[in-house]
Amino acid sequence: RWNENYQQLIRYKEENGHMWFGRTYVKAEDAHLRGWVAMIRKEYQKLQNGEQSNLAAIQMKRLSDIGFDFNPRKIKNNTSNDKRWEVNFQLLKEYKERQGDFTLRKGEDRKMIRMIKRIRLDYKKKQRGDRSGLTDERIANLEEIGFDFQRKETPYKVRDVPRSWEERFQQLLQFKEEHGHCLVPQISGGILGEWVRRQRCQYKKLMASERTSLTHEKALRLSSIGFCFDASSRFKGTIRTIQK
Protein backbone atom coordinates (compact mmCIF):
# COMPACT_ATOMS: atom_id res chain seq x y z
CA ARG A 1 0.00 0.00 0.00
CA TRP A 2 2.89 2.35 0.78
CA ASN A 3 4.30 1.87 -2.72
CA GLU A 4 0.91 2.63 -4.27
CA ASN A 5 0.67 5.89 -2.35
CA TYR A 6 4.25 6.72 -3.27
CA GLN A 7 3.55 6.27 -6.98
CA GLN A 8 0.39 8.34 -6.65
CA LEU A 9 2.43 11.10 -5.01
CA ILE A 10 4.87 11.07 -7.94
CA ARG A 11 1.96 11.44 -10.38
CA TYR A 12 0.55 14.28 -8.28
CA LYS A 13 3.86 16.12 -8.45
CA GLU A 14 4.10 15.64 -12.22
CA GLU A 15 0.61 17.10 -12.66
CA ASN A 16 0.89 20.00 -10.19
CA GLY A 17 4.62 20.74 -9.99
CA HIS A 18 4.69 20.44 -6.19
CA MET A 19 3.69 18.15 -3.30
CA TRP A 20 1.84 20.67 -1.17
CA PHE A 21 -1.76 19.95 -0.15
CA GLY A 22 -4.01 22.74 1.09
CA ARG A 23 -7.61 22.53 2.21
CA THR A 24 -8.78 24.71 -0.66
CA TYR A 25 -6.41 23.31 -3.29
CA VAL A 26 -6.83 19.53 -3.03
CA LYS A 27 -9.18 17.65 -5.36
CA ALA A 28 -11.61 15.08 -4.03
CA GLU A 29 -9.66 12.23 -5.62
CA ASP A 30 -6.51 13.43 -3.86
CA ALA A 31 -8.03 13.58 -0.38
CA HIS A 32 -6.66 10.16 0.57
CA LEU A 33 -3.20 11.12 -0.69
CA ARG A 34 -3.28 14.28 1.41
CA GLY A 35 -4.01 12.19 4.49
CA TRP A 36 -1.16 9.83 3.67
CA VAL A 37 1.26 12.74 3.23
CA ALA A 38 0.14 14.19 6.58
CA MET A 39 0.80 10.82 8.19
CA ILE A 40 4.30 10.66 6.66
CA ARG A 41 5.16 14.09 8.05
CA LYS A 42 3.76 13.14 11.44
CA GLU A 43 5.94 10.02 11.55
CA TYR A 44 8.93 12.08 10.48
CA GLN A 45 8.27 14.52 13.33
CA LYS A 46 8.33 11.59 15.73
CA LEU A 47 11.81 10.72 14.52
CA GLN A 48 12.91 14.31 15.03
CA ASN A 49 11.62 14.15 18.61
CA GLY A 50 13.39 10.86 19.28
CA GLU A 51 10.16 8.88 19.43
CA GLN A 52 9.32 5.54 17.87
CA SER A 53 8.17 5.89 14.26
CA ASN A 54 6.86 3.67 11.49
CA LEU A 55 8.82 5.60 8.87
CA ALA A 56 11.73 3.51 7.61
CA ALA A 57 15.05 4.93 6.42
CA ILE A 58 14.60 3.55 2.90
CA GLN A 59 11.20 5.23 2.71
CA MET A 60 12.68 8.56 3.78
CA LYS A 61 15.34 8.22 1.09
CA ARG A 62 12.80 7.47 -1.64
CA LEU A 63 10.73 10.49 -0.61
CA SER A 64 13.81 12.72 -0.51
CA ASP A 65 14.78 11.53 -3.99
CA ILE A 66 11.61 13.08 -5.45
CA GLY A 67 12.07 16.35 -3.55
CA PHE A 68 9.59 15.69 -0.75
CA ASP A 69 9.75 18.29 2.04
CA PHE A 70 9.01 16.84 5.45
CA ASN A 71 8.19 20.26 6.91
CA PRO A 72 4.64 21.22 5.81
CA ARG A 73 4.73 24.61 7.51
CA LYS A 74 7.81 25.58 5.57
CA ILE A 75 6.17 24.52 2.30
CA LYS A 76 3.01 26.46 3.09
CA ASN A 77 4.87 29.63 4.07
CA ASN A 78 7.19 29.55 1.07
CA THR A 79 4.35 28.90 -1.37
CA SER A 80 2.22 31.61 0.22
CA ASN A 81 5.06 34.15 0.25
CA ASP A 82 5.98 33.47 -3.38
CA LYS A 83 2.39 33.81 -4.56
CA ARG A 84 1.90 37.01 -2.54
CA TRP A 85 5.08 38.48 -4.01
CA GLU A 86 3.98 37.65 -7.57
CA VAL A 87 0.62 39.37 -6.99
CA ASN A 88 2.24 42.44 -5.40
CA PHE A 89 4.85 42.68 -8.14
CA GLN A 90 2.12 42.68 -10.78
CA LEU A 91 0.33 45.46 -8.87
CA LEU A 92 3.56 47.47 -8.84
CA LYS A 93 3.95 47.06 -12.59
CA GLU A 94 0.41 48.26 -13.16
CA TYR A 95 1.00 51.22 -10.82
CA LYS A 96 4.12 52.20 -12.79
CA GLU A 97 2.24 51.98 -16.09
CA ARG A 98 -0.56 54.11 -14.69
CA GLN A 99 1.50 56.75 -12.84
CA GLY A 100 4.80 56.71 -14.73
CA ASP A 101 6.91 56.38 -11.56
CA PHE A 102 6.70 55.27 -7.93
CA THR A 103 6.17 58.64 -6.30
CA LEU A 104 3.53 58.31 -3.60
CA ARG A 105 0.71 60.76 -4.23
CA LYS A 106 -2.09 62.00 -2.05
CA GLY A 107 -5.22 59.93 -2.40
CA GLU A 108 -3.34 56.82 -3.57
CA ASP A 109 -4.58 53.41 -2.47
CA ARG A 110 -3.43 52.75 1.10
CA LYS A 111 -2.43 49.19 0.31
CA MET A 112 -0.14 50.40 -2.47
CA ILE A 113 1.39 53.04 -0.19
CA ARG A 114 2.10 50.45 2.51
CA MET A 115 3.58 48.06 -0.05
CA ILE A 116 5.99 50.63 -1.51
CA LYS A 117 7.03 51.84 1.94
CA ARG A 118 7.62 48.27 3.07
CA ILE A 119 9.80 47.50 0.06
CA ARG A 120 11.91 50.62 0.67
CA LEU A 121 12.22 49.75 4.35
CA ASP A 122 13.28 46.17 3.54
CA TYR A 123 15.82 47.54 1.07
CA LYS A 124 17.37 49.73 3.80
CA LYS A 125 17.50 46.72 6.12
CA LYS A 126 19.26 44.66 3.46
CA GLN A 127 21.82 47.40 2.92
CA ARG A 128 22.54 47.42 6.66
CA GLY A 129 22.92 43.65 6.61
CA ASP A 130 19.74 43.10 8.67
CA ARG A 131 17.10 40.48 7.99
CA SER A 132 14.98 41.52 5.03
CA GLY A 133 12.20 40.13 2.87
CA LEU A 134 13.97 41.32 -0.28
CA THR A 135 16.15 38.82 -2.10
CA ASP A 136 18.71 39.83 -4.74
CA GLU A 137 16.42 38.37 -7.38
CA ARG A 138 13.46 40.46 -6.20
CA ILE A 139 15.60 43.60 -6.10
CA ALA A 140 16.74 42.90 -9.67
CA ASN A 141 13.12 42.44 -10.78
CA LEU A 142 12.14 45.72 -9.14
CA GLU A 143 15.02 47.50 -10.84
CA GLU A 144 13.84 46.19 -14.20
CA ILE A 145 10.55 48.08 -13.79
CA GLY A 146 12.31 51.22 -12.58
CA PHE A 147 11.53 50.99 -8.87
CA ASP A 148 13.25 53.75 -6.89
CA PHE A 149 14.41 52.42 -3.52
CA GLN A 150 15.66 55.77 -2.25
CA ARG A 151 12.90 58.18 -3.24
CA LYS A 152 11.16 60.13 -0.50
CA GLU A 153 7.39 59.90 -0.27
CA THR A 154 6.58 63.23 -1.91
CA PRO A 155 5.15 64.11 -5.34
CA TYR A 156 7.19 67.29 -5.55
CA LYS A 157 10.75 66.01 -5.39
CA VAL A 158 11.91 63.58 -8.06
CA ARG A 159 15.45 62.24 -8.02
CA ASP A 160 17.04 61.63 -11.38
CA VAL A 161 18.72 58.26 -10.79
CA PRO A 162 19.23 55.36 -13.22
CA ARG A 163 16.45 52.82 -12.91
CA SER A 164 16.61 50.04 -15.47
CA TRP A 165 19.47 47.58 -16.05
CA GLU A 166 20.44 49.46 -19.21
CA GLU A 167 20.65 52.79 -17.39
CA ARG A 168 22.77 51.26 -14.64
CA PHE A 169 25.00 49.75 -17.31
CA GLN A 170 25.45 53.17 -18.89
CA GLN A 171 26.30 54.58 -15.48
CA LEU A 172 28.93 51.86 -15.10
CA LEU A 173 30.37 52.85 -18.48
CA GLN A 174 30.63 56.42 -17.27
CA PHE A 175 32.34 55.24 -14.09
CA LYS A 176 34.88 53.32 -16.17
CA GLU A 177 35.61 56.37 -18.33
CA GLU A 178 36.29 58.41 -15.21
CA HIS A 179 38.31 55.81 -13.26
CA GLY A 180 39.70 53.46 -15.90
CA HIS A 181 38.13 50.33 -14.40
CA CYS A 182 34.80 48.84 -13.30
CA LEU A 183 35.62 48.14 -9.64
CA VAL A 184 32.93 50.27 -8.04
CA PRO A 185 33.33 50.39 -4.23
CA GLN A 186 30.55 48.45 -2.55
CA ILE A 187 30.74 50.46 0.67
CA SER A 188 31.13 53.98 -0.68
CA GLY A 189 29.84 53.35 -4.21
CA GLY A 190 26.21 54.09 -3.38
CA ILE A 191 23.46 52.62 -5.56
CA LEU A 192 25.87 51.71 -8.36
CA GLY A 193 28.08 49.78 -5.93
CA GLU A 194 25.07 47.81 -4.72
CA TRP A 195 24.00 47.13 -8.32
CA VAL A 196 27.50 45.86 -9.21
CA ARG A 197 27.44 43.52 -6.20
CA ARG A 198 24.15 42.05 -7.34
CA GLN A 199 25.45 41.48 -10.86
CA ARG A 200 28.22 39.31 -9.39
CA CYS A 201 25.71 37.39 -7.27
CA GLN A 202 23.43 36.87 -10.25
CA TYR A 203 26.39 35.76 -12.39
CA LYS A 204 27.21 33.00 -9.89
CA LYS A 205 23.63 31.76 -10.22
CA LEU A 206 23.88 31.92 -14.00
CA MET A 207 27.03 29.79 -13.95
CA ALA A 208 25.32 27.31 -11.62
CA SER A 209 22.30 27.11 -13.98
CA GLU A 210 20.08 28.53 -11.25
CA ARG A 211 17.19 30.95 -11.69
CA THR A 212 18.56 34.45 -12.23
CA SER A 213 17.64 37.80 -13.76
CA LEU A 214 21.04 38.08 -15.46
CA THR A 215 20.89 36.82 -19.04
CA HIS A 216 23.85 35.56 -21.05
CA GLU A 217 23.55 38.64 -23.24
CA LYS A 218 23.87 40.96 -20.25
CA ALA A 219 26.82 38.96 -18.91
CA LEU A 220 28.57 39.25 -22.28
CA ARG A 221 27.99 43.00 -22.36
CA LEU A 222 29.51 43.34 -18.90
CA SER A 223 32.49 41.20 -19.92
CA SER A 224 33.03 43.30 -23.04
CA ILE A 225 33.78 46.40 -20.91
CA GLY A 226 36.16 44.56 -18.60
CA PHE A 227 33.73 43.88 -15.76
CA CYS A 228 35.22 41.59 -13.11
CA PHE A 229 32.68 39.02 -11.91
CA ASP A 230 35.00 37.77 -9.16
CA ALA A 231 36.64 40.78 -7.59
CA SER A 232 37.23 39.24 -4.17
CA SER A 233 40.98 39.10 -4.71
CA ARG A 234 41.18 42.63 -6.05
CA PHE A 235 38.52 44.56 -4.22
CA LYS A 236 37.22 44.59 -0.63
CA GLY A 237 35.20 47.69 0.14
CA THR A 238 37.73 50.14 -1.29
CA ILE A 239 39.48 50.23 -4.63
CA ARG A 240 42.89 48.66 -4.66
CA THR A 241 45.66 49.45 -7.01
CA ILE A 242 44.71 48.27 -10.48
CA GLN A 243 47.36 46.33 -12.28
CA LYS A 244 48.25 47.91 -15.57
Side-chain angles (χ1 to χ4, degrees), residues 182-239:
C182 299
L183 290 177
V184 183
Q186 295 180 14
I187 296 178
S188 59
I191 297 177
L192 182 60
E194 174 66 15
W195 180 81
V196 164
R197 183 192 69 81
R198 283 198 296 275
Q199 300 314 298
R200 293 185 177 122
C201 292
Q202 295 298 319
Y203 180 76
K204 290 180 180 179
K205 292 183 178 181
L206 182 66
M207 292 297 97
S209 298
E210 299 177 0
R211 183 178 178 182
T212 174
S213 60
L214 184 68
T215 64
H216 287 281
E217 180 184 359
K218 290 178 180 178
L220 287 173
R221 292 185 66 188
L222 288 168
S223 297
S224 68
I225 64 171
F227 185 83
C228 182
F229 288 101
D230 184 9
S232 59
S233 61
R234 301 174 64 189
F235 169 64
K236 290 184 179 179
T238 57
I239 298 178

Side-chain angles (χ1 to χ4, degrees), residues 162-180:
R163 298 175 181 177
S164 67
W165 190 94
E166 181 61 33
E167 288 172 317
R168 294 293 168 86
F169 180 75
Q170 294 300 323
Q171 189 179 8
L172 180 60
L173 281 176
Q174 183 179 353
F175 178 92
K176 182 181 180 181
E177 291 179 1
E178 295 175 358
H179 299 86

Side-chain angles (χ1 to χ4, degrees), residues 8-217:
Q8 187 178 353
L9 181 61
I10 292 177
R11 289 192 295 271
Y12 180 89
K13 181 183 179 182
E14 292 175 350
E15 294 175 359
N16 299 276
H18 59 79
M19 289 176 281
W20 177 63
F21 294 83
R23 292 182 179 179
T24 59
Y25 292 90
V26 67
K27 298 178 182 178
E29 58 268 26
D30 295 324
H32 170 75
L33 183 61
R34 179 179 61 181
W36 181 75
V37 166
M39 181 272 294
I40 290 293
R41 287 170 175 153
K42 185 177 181 180
E43 293 299 318
Y44 175 79
Q45 192 61 45
K46 289 181 181 180
L47 288 175
Q48 295 297 99
N49 296 334
E51 302 173 4
Q52 185 176 358
S53 171
N54 294 323
L55 187 62
I58 185 63
Q59 293 173 339
M60 288 179 57
K61 183 180 183 305
R62 292 180 66 186
L63 288 167
S64 298
D65 288 343
I66 62 172
F68 184 82
D69 194 324
F70 293 91
N71 189 335
R73 179 174 299 178
K74 179 179 179 181
I75 291 179
K76 182 177 180 180
N77 288 342
N78 285 347
T79 303
S80 176
N81 289 337
D82 289 342
K83 288 184 177 179
R84 183 163 58 249
W85 168 254
E86 291 176 2
V87 172
N88 289 340
F89 184 70
Q90 183 61 36
L91 291 174
L92 286 169
K93 289 174 65 177
E94 294 174 358
Y95 179 86
K96 170 69 179 299
E97 293 175 358
R98 183 174 68 252
Q99 300 290 355
D101 56 32
F102 290 97
T103 299
L104 297 181
R105 296 168 172 80
K106 293 182 180 180
E108 187 57 59
D109 179 71
R110 292 185 178 181
K111 180 180 179 180
M112 179 61 64
I113 292 176
R114 289 195 300 268
M115 185 194 311
I116 292 177
K117 287 184 175 181
R118 170 58 61 183
I119 290 175
R120 287 172 176 160
L121 179 61
D122 281 344
Y123 181 76
K124 291 179 180 179
K125 289 181 179 180
K126 188 172 181 64
Q127 284 190 314
R128 294 196 303 264
D130 298 336
R131 185 177 180 180
S132 170
L134 279 182
T135 62
D136 287 341
E137 181 180 355
R138 290 179 179 180
I139 291 175
N141 289 336
L142 288 167
E143 283 188 328
E144 289 294 332
I145 64 172
F147 189 87
D148 188 349
F149 296 96
Q150 304 293 338
R151 179 172 297 173
K152 296 181 180 179
E153 283 65 50
T154 168
Y156 307 108
K157 185 176 180 180
V158 179
R159 296 177 59 186
D160 184 18
V161 294
R163 298 175 181 177
S164 67
W165 190 94
E166 181 61 33
E167 288 172 317
R168 294 293 168 86
F169 180 75
Q170 294 300 323
Q171 189 179 8
L172 180 60
L173 281 176
Q174 183 179 353
F175 178 92
K176 182 181 180 181
E177 291 179 1
E178 295 175 358
H179 299 86
H181 57 77
C182 299
L183 290 177
V184 183
Q186 295 180 14
I187 296 178
S188 59
I191 297 177
L192 182 60
E194 174 66 15
W195 180 81
V196 164
R197 183 192 69 81
R198 283 198 296 275
Q199 300 314 298
R200 293 185 177 122
C201 292
Q202 295 298 319
Y203 180 76
K204 290 180 180 179
K205 292 183 178 181
L206 182 66
M207 292 297 97
S209 298
E210 299 177 0
R211 183 178 178 182
T212 174
S213 60
L214 184 68
T215 64
H216 287 281
E217 180 184 359

